[in-house]
C-alpha cells in the first residue's frame, strides 16, 4: 500500500478517511478538491473549466424539486425525507472524491516509475511514458468530476437546509452570506 504524506512533514501520513467514514457534507468539505486547483488542472490538460455557477444551479434545482415534492407534515419525518433526498448526492460526491484521490496516487506512482527508469537508463520507456500520461489525464478528469459532484451536493444541501428550517428558499447572495458570517462572529466574540 502506498502512503500519502501530508505537507506538515514526512512523518505525517494522511489516512484516507473518505474510504472508511460515513459520507456526509462535513466529510465532503474535507475531501473535495479545491476550486483553484481544479481550474489549474482544467487549463493544464485542456479540459473545459467547471461551471462557476454549478453550486447555485444545484441549489435552485433542489429548491424546485422540494417545492414539487409532497413532504410529510411531521417534523421528524420531513427531516428524514429531506436527508434522503440529499444522501445520494453526498454519497456520489464522496465516492468521486475518493476515486479521484486514488487515481491521483496511481498517477504519481506511474510518474515515479517513469522517472526511475529514465534515471537508470532502462528499456521500455515508451510504455512507461504512455502509462504515466494515461494516469495523469485520468486523474485530472476525475478531479473535475469530483469537484462538480461536490458542488452539486453542496448546492443541494443549501436548499435542503432552508427546507429543514421551514424557511422559504432564496438565491445565494455573497454579500448577505458574508454579512451573516460577520454577525455570527461578533456574537461568538462577546
Amino acid at each position: 500500500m502506498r502512503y500519502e504524506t501530508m505537507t506538515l512533514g514526512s512523518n505525517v501520513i494522511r489516512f484516507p478517511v473518505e474510504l472508511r467514514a460515513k459520507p456526509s457534507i462535513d466529510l465532503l468539505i474535507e475531501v473535495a478538491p479545491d476550486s483553484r486547483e481544479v481550474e489549474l488542472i482544467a487549463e493544464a490538460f485542456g479540459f473545459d473549466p467547471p461551471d462557476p455557477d454549478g453550486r447555485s444551479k444545484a441549489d435552485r434545482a433542489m429548491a424546485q424539486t422540494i417545492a414539487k415534492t409532497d413532504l410529510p407534515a411531521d417534523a421528524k419525518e420531513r427531516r428524514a425525507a429531506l436527508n434522503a433526498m440529499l444522501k445520494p448526492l453526498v454519497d456520489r460526491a464522496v465516492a468521486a472524491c475518493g476515486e479521484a484521490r486514488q487515481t491521483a496516487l496511481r498517477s504519481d506512482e506511474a510518474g515515479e516509475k517513469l522517472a526511475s527508469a529514465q534515471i537508470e537508463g532502462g528499456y521500455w520507456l515508451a510504455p512507461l511514458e504512455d502509462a504515466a500520461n494515461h494516469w495523469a489525464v485520468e486523474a485530472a478528469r476525475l478531479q473535475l468530476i469530483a469537484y462538480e459532484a461536490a458542488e452539486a451536493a453542496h448546492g443541494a444541501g443549501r436548499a435542503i437546509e432552508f427546507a429543514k428550517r421551514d424557511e422559504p428558499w432564496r438565491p445565494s447572495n455573497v454579500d448577505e452570506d458574508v454579512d451573516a458570517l460577520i454577525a455570527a462572529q461578533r456574537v461568538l466574540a462577546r
Side-chain angles (χ1 to χ4, degrees), residues 67-180:
K68 294 175 187 174
T69 304
D70 186 27
L71 294 170
D74 180 55
K76 271 187 166 180
E77 291 176 11
R78 178 181 175 90
R79 180 175 285 277
L82 290 167
N83 285 338
M85 293 172 80
L86 182 61
K87 186 178 180 343
L89 296 171
V90 172
D91 289 350
R92 187 173 330 134
V94 170
C97 290
E99 184 180 4
R101 182 167 304 275
Q102 292 303 312
T103 304
L105 290 174
R106 189 155 186 191
S107 173
D108 290 348
E109 279 182 35
E112 288 172 8
K113 283 180 184 178
L114 174 61
S116 246
Q118 287 172 334
I119 289 170
E120 295 171 4
Y123 296 97
W124 300 98
L125 291 179
L128 290 175
E129 188 173 354
D130 289 346
N133 289 337
H134 165 76
W135 287 113
V137 170
E138 187 65 9
R141 187 183 69 78
L142 290 175
Q143 276 285 71
L144 289 167
I145 290 171
Y147 177 77
E148 289 172 347
E151 288 295 289
H154 285 301
R158 181 181 183 277
I160 286 173
E161 286 303 315
F162 275 109
K164 284 180 182 178
R165 294 188 305 260
D166 237 357
E167 291 180 28
W169 177 84
R170 64 182 184 281
S172 180
N173 182 325
V174 175
D175 294 331
E176 287 178 10
D177 293 345
V178 169
D179 290 343

Side-chain angles (χ1 to χ4, degrees), residues 23-71:
S24 68
I25 287 287
D26 293 333
L27 176 62
L28 187 56
I29 289 169
E30 293 294 321
V31 300
D34 182 75
S35 63
R36 297 163 299 204
E37 184 179 330
V38 169
E39 288 172 7
L40 291 173
I41 288 170
E43 183 180 340
F45 285 88
F47 293 130
D48 291 333
D51 184 1
D53 296 327
R55 187 180 288 209
S56 297
K57 289 177 181 176
D59 182 17
R60 182 177 307 280
M62 183 55 75
Q64 291 170 351
T65 300
I66 291 170
K68 294 175 187 174
T69 304
D70 186 27
L71 294 170

